[in-house]
Amino acid sequence: MDKPLISVKNLTKSYQMGDTIVHALRGVSIDIYKDDFVAITGASGSGKSTFMNTLGCLDKPTSGEYYLDGVDALNMDKNQLAEFRNRKIGFIFQSFNILARTSALENVELPLLYNNKISTKERKARALEALASVGLADRANNMPNQLSGGQQQRVAIARALVNAPLVIMADEPTGNLDTRTSLEIMSIFQNLNSTGITIVMVTHEPDIARCAMMNIVFRDGRIIGSREVPNRLIAAEELKKMPVESAESTI
Amino acid sequence: MKILQLFIIAFRSLNKNKLRSFLTMLGIIIGVASVIAMLAIGQGSKKSIESSISSLGVNTIIVMPGALTSGGVRLATGSANSLKNDDETAIAQRCDLLEYISPVVFKSVQAVSGNQNWSTVIFGVNDDYFKIRALTVSTGVKFSDQDEHVAAKVCVIGYTIDSNLFGSGVNPIGMSIRINSIPFRIIGMYDRKGQNAFGQDQDDAIIAPFSTIQKRMMSGSDYLNSIYCSAKSEALIDDAVDEITTVLRQRHKLAPSDDNDFTVRTLEDIANIFGTVTRVMTLLLASVAGISLIVGGIGIMNIMLVSVTERTREIGIRLAIGAKGKDILLQFMIESVLISFIGGFLGVCLGVFASYMVGKFGGWPVTVTPFSIILSFAFSAIVGIFFGWYPARKAASLNPIDALRYE
């Protein structure tokens, strides 16, 4: 645990918006270690999403250093970055971002399609395995419009997992979900984390943030606080406490 | 990304928007079909023009004896007796660019039937002469090789002879006429040709076997008035003329410094016009067909641009989870190529069918050549690649974060 998995030093990001220059990040430094489960919180416009996109190699910062798994992530061309994202990072978005009119299984297969080393047979097997791990093995052939919001997000989680990434980046993964479904997603996250997957998650819901191990608070493009969560919420237990609802509203 | 997967993705995406894909394809379908139909109809009309022009005798080459010089005065072309039967035989044997050849002797004669008489010209020719002059005999028959061999006294007459010697209502076939006191049996009548460009009545002639006329009316001499030939094609006329000239100069033992003692004539002007007509027509058809395909290609480009915009988010997702620009480029390229290929294939079917229908019900000679099918299909594929490239390039160069944020 000596070397951090993610190491960010003095990251800044500013961009032009109309006449004004927006400073989204004003010098962010942080180390995130393997097996961490980090929740990033902060008001909207505090720079947490920009930070997340930078960590996910989707966006380039204006200055600073960023090492992921010991690799300089800021010194790669477009194709190298694409491959890097494909092999090392799993993404989960607030709006699920799964392809419409494409079955759950094919959505999960997608990252493997962009990896030539994986055969068709292996791709199918791994995608099914990932779907099973989020409890959707029986929904493999359903189209997204036949799935509930929670189920769609679980397809997205399976897609993020299928390439066995080093880290999962989740941007408001429960933003579009109700409390119960949110807790179920968090329960999956905690399970994944316990099997050794590092998770970085942006959220603005305090309850969801309490499911993580570490909380980082952003304000005005800076980290203003970082602490370990004192009494961590175990999502599975919270779920048990909730009143049992009728069958149709369960995911 | 495997190419097969890209094809599946492209095919699905076309399948999702069936109507739109079909309408886009329609541009290519109509483009390709029109290329094939145009070329088929064009080939057909070219052939029909060709045959109607060749009935004017475009390929005809006429060899005439040279001018006779008498006491320093040069007489008209054809006045010398420099062409003989052997010349005709030599040309027939040694000039392989010629399709038909006939020796010609003619004589002004007085034709008499009963109490009617008529002044006309009798030609002694062989069977090829009918082909060179595009004369058809649909009443009665032409004379046979046997008639030629035995110098039979048979003849084929023109309409003017018939109307002047027999009048209406009488079938001249089998009747006997006296030509310069020699009785001839009429065995056929050639179809009316009307006047030629110089106002001569082409129906005012009697045609008889060459041997008959030369032996019985030319007092046995073996001189020819002219030799009628036709080149195998319009393009070969000049070469054929050279060939004939070489053969005749050798036979007449002319020194290089001597002038020809014969004249070779062609219908050069008409031949040139024919060449121009063909060229203009080919150009016209090619441009019409090309324009329709390009319009189809613009349709593809338009739809692909719409498709890229519409699927910006999808592109963003693909880029985020590891698609390279190349993968996206290929995905959209294959989609447009697929449109143009399927469209091209359907267009070929439609074009062949349309040509066939035009041929069948329009009474127009059509020929669908494999060349036109390959040409139009290849062109449609090129159009698909050309017009698909820009939208695909646009999709591939999207920034993942912008594409993901796109609403």
Side-chain angles (χ1 to χ4, degrees):
Chain A
M1 291 274 281
D2 298 334
K3 265 186 85 183
L5 181 69
I6 292 172
S7 176
V8 173
K9 284 197 188 77
N10 222 357
L11 216 57
T12 70
K13 171 82 180 175
S14 46
Y15 50 88
Q16 191 101 22
M17 207 173 198
D19 290 338
T20 53
I21 293 173
V22 180
H23 297 281
L25 297 176
R26 299 165 186 262
V28 176
S29 302
I30 194 173
D31 286 342
I32 296 171
Y33 291 88
K34 193 174 177 323
D35 297 346
D36 264 356
F37 184 175
V38 179
I40 301 172
T41 59
S44 65
S46 61
K48 58 186 193 302
S49 283
T50 307
F51 180 61
M52 192 68 171
N53 289 335
T54 310
L55 287 190
C57 300
L58 291 171
D59 210 356
K60 289 217 169 188
T62 309
S63 70
E65 287 175 36
Y66 169 29
Y67 291 90
L68 175 58
D69 194 27
V71 179
D72 183 358
L74 300 183
N75 241 333
M76 285 193 264
D77 68 19
K78 262 185 131 181
N79 282 343
Q80 286 171 315
L81 273 178
E83 199 167 316
F84 198 67
R85 284 196 297 268
N86 185 250
R87 307 290 151 84
K88 309 244 162 141
I89 304 171
F91 287 99
I92 296 164
F93 304 91
Q94 177 176 4
S95 48
F96 319 141
N97 274 343
I98 56 180
L99 298 184
R101 286 183 280 190
T102 307
S103 76
L105 183 67
E106 284 164 334
N107 262 297
V108 176
E109 282 181 0
L110 211 53
L112 300 178
L113 278 177
Y114 292 109
N115 185 345
N116 276 335
K117 286 176 199 144
I118 291 167
S119 70
T120 309
K121 209 174 148 192
E122 188 188 351
R123 192 176 72 227
K124 279 252 149 58
R126 275 172 70 169
L128 273 172
E129 195 185 326
L131 270 180
S133 75
V134 294
L136 283 180
D138 55 336
R139 299 292 184 132
N141 293 319
N142 285 35
M143 294 292 156
N145 58 6
Q146 297 169 309
L147 298 172
S148 71
Q151 286 171 326
Q152 290 188 44
Q153 192 62 302
R154 284 199 274 165
V155 171
I157 294 172
R159 185 181 66 191
L161 285 175
V162 77
N163 244 354
L166 289 172
V167 55
I168 284 184
M169 310 268 181
D171 191 356
E172 304 262 13
T174 59
N176 285 1
L177 300 173
D178 61 46
T179 316
R180 189 187 176 86
T181 318
S182 298
L183 280 172
E184 284 173 350
I185 297 296
M186 280 309 109
S187 166
I188 294 174
F189 272 30
Q190 287 178 335
N191 280 338
L192 292 175
N193 184 230
S194 67
T195 62
I197 293 174
T198 313
I199 298 174
V200 181
M201 167 176 82
V202 165
T203 182
H204 61 262
E205 293 165 76
D207 279 350
I208 298 300
R210 278 180 62 202
C211 294
M213 281 153 55
M214 277 261 288
N215 279 8
I216 296 171
V217 185
F218 264 71
R219 186 188 287 163
D220 298 332
R222 289 191 183 89
I223 294 176
I224 56 160
S226 147
R227 59 174 186 138
E228 269 187 48
V229 178
N231 40 17
R232 201 180 167 200
L233 225 56
I234 304 302
E237 285 173 17
E238 291 301 309
L239 273 173
K240 277 182 205 156
K241 285 187 219 161
M242 289 189 85
V244 179
E245 289 174 40
S246 61
E248 60 180 356
S249 71
T250 57
I251 42 168
Chain B
M1 187 119 183
K2 293 181 185 80
I3 217 83
L4 178 70
Q5 285 299 329
L6 285 168
F7 267 101
I8 294 172
I9 290 170
F11 195 77
R12 272 202 196 141
S13 134
L14 294 181
N15 203 29
K16 277 174 199 165
N17 294 300
K18 283 192 189 69
L19 182 63
R20 191 162 86 182
S21 309
F22 175 71
L23 289 176
T24 313
M25 270 176 209
L26 203 57
I28 293 295
I29 292 175
I30 292 174
V32 170
S34 66
V35 170
I36 290 179
M38 288 274 174
L39 286 176
I41 294 169
Q43 286 287 335
S45 58
K46 198 173 143 186
K47 266 187 193 161
S48 83
I49 288 180
E50 226 166 300
S51 70
S52 60
I53 290 187
S54 73
S55 78
L56 293 174
V58 178
N59 300 346
T60 306
I61 300 168
I62 304 167
V63 187
M64 299 176 86
L68 188 71
T69 306
S70 151
V73 179
R74 294 183 76 190
L75 301 176
T77 300
S79 53
N81 287 331
S82 58
L83 282 183
K84 293 188 171 189
N85 287 1
D86 290 347
D87 288 330
E88 191 266 338
T89 319
I91 292 172
Q93 274 170 0
R94 290 172 56 191
C95 297
D96 46 6
L97 298 177
L98 298 180
E99 193 167 19
Y100 301 117
I101 179 162
S102 168
V104 178
V105 284
F106 58 81
K107 190 173 179 140
S108 287
V109 292
Q110 202 70 17
V112 180
S113 169
N115 60 352
Q116 299 292 320
N117 74 92
W118 186 249
S119 173
T120 185
V121 180
I122 190 160
F123 287 89
V125 296
N126 69 21
D127 188 53
D128 278 1
Y129 183 81
F130 289 90
K131 286 165 188 148
I132 297 166
R133 295 276 320 271
L135 297 173
T136 49
V137 176
S138 52
T139 312
V141 292
K142 291 190 281 191
F143 40 81
S144 62
D145 288 347
Q146 179 66 16
D147 293 331
E148 172 77 40
H149 193 67
V150 301
K153 290 178 276 182
V154 293
C155 67
V156 174
I157 59 169
Y159 174 78
T160 307
I161 310 291
D162 175 42
S163 59
N164 282 292
L165 289 183
F166 303 106
S168 58
V170 179
N171 182 5
I173 310 299
M175 305 276 269
S176 182
I177 52 173
R178 295 171 70 80
I179 300 169
N180 280 10
S181 305
I182 302 168
F184 275 76
R185 190 164 54 87
I186 298 171
I187 56 166
M189 188 162 90
Y190 62 85
D191 296 348
R192 293 182 73 165
K193 289 273 278 186
Q195 295 180 350
N196 70 7
F198 314 103
Q200 288 170 327
D201 181 3
Q202 298 182 80
D203 299 322
D204 189 2
I206 300 172
I207 301 173
F210 171 73
S211 55
T212 312
I213 303 304
Q214 198 175 47
K215 281 176 187 153
R216 298 181 194 274
M217 298 186 111
M218 308 306 249
S219 55
S221 75
D222 65 346
Y223 295 120
L224 301 178
N225 290 102
S226 61
I227 301 170
Y228 267 60
C229 329
S230 74
K232 278 181 178 155
S233 82
E234 174 251 332
L236 294 171
I237 291 176
D238 287 346
D239 291 340
V241 168
D242 290 345
E243 229 177 27
I244 294 168
T245 309
T246 313
V247 170
L248 287 183
R249 283 187 71 90
Q250 272 178 12
R251 279 194 48 80
H252 294 181
K253 299 189 172 64
L254 297 177
S257 58
D258 290 345
D259 286 339
N260 289 343
D261 61 350
F262 56 90
T263 312
V264 184
R265 288 183 175 171
T266 61
L267 300 174
E268 216 169 329
D269 287 349
I270 298 178
N272 286 346
I273 289 169
F274 174 62
T276 314
V277 166
T278 314
R279 265 198 305 281
V280 167
M281 197 139 103
T282 313
L283 204 69
L284 182 81
L285 289 170
S287 53
V288 168
I291 287 168
S292 59
L293 259 180
I294 286 170
V295 170
I298 293 171
I300 291 189
M301 184 147 162
N302 190 16
I303 282 305
M304 291 311 293
L305 282 173
V306 170
S307 176
V308 167
T309 310
E310 204 180 64
R311 287 153 68 190
T312 303
R313 227 186 149 80
E314 177 194 325
I315 296 165
I317 297 170
R318 288 182 185 275
L319 287 171
I321 61 171
K324 292 172 186 161
K326 184 189 76 183
D327 297 318
I328 303 293
L329 182 82
L330 270 176
Q331 182 186 332
F332 282 89
M333 284 292 281
I334 286 176
E335 211 173 302
S336 62
V337 168
L338 215 55
I339 289 180
S340 65
F341 257 72
I342 298 174
F345 177 74
L346 294 177
V348 167
C349 298
L350 183 68
V352 171
F353 179 72
S355 312
Y356 172 76
M357 293 308 267
V358 167
K360 189 163 184 197
F361 295 110
W364 190 268
V366 292
T367 7
V368 179
T369 56
F371 169 76
S372 72
I373 291 176
I374 292 166
L375 175 88
S376 56
F377 197 75
F379 198 45
S380 77
I382 291 168
V383 160
I385 292 167
F386 183 79
F387 287 102
W389 194 83
Y390 174 73
R393 182 73 237 150
K394 204 179 154 195
S397 59
L398 280 172
N399 194 3
I401 198 75
D402 295 336
L404 273 175
R405 282 201 195 118
Y406 184 85
E407 292 299 328

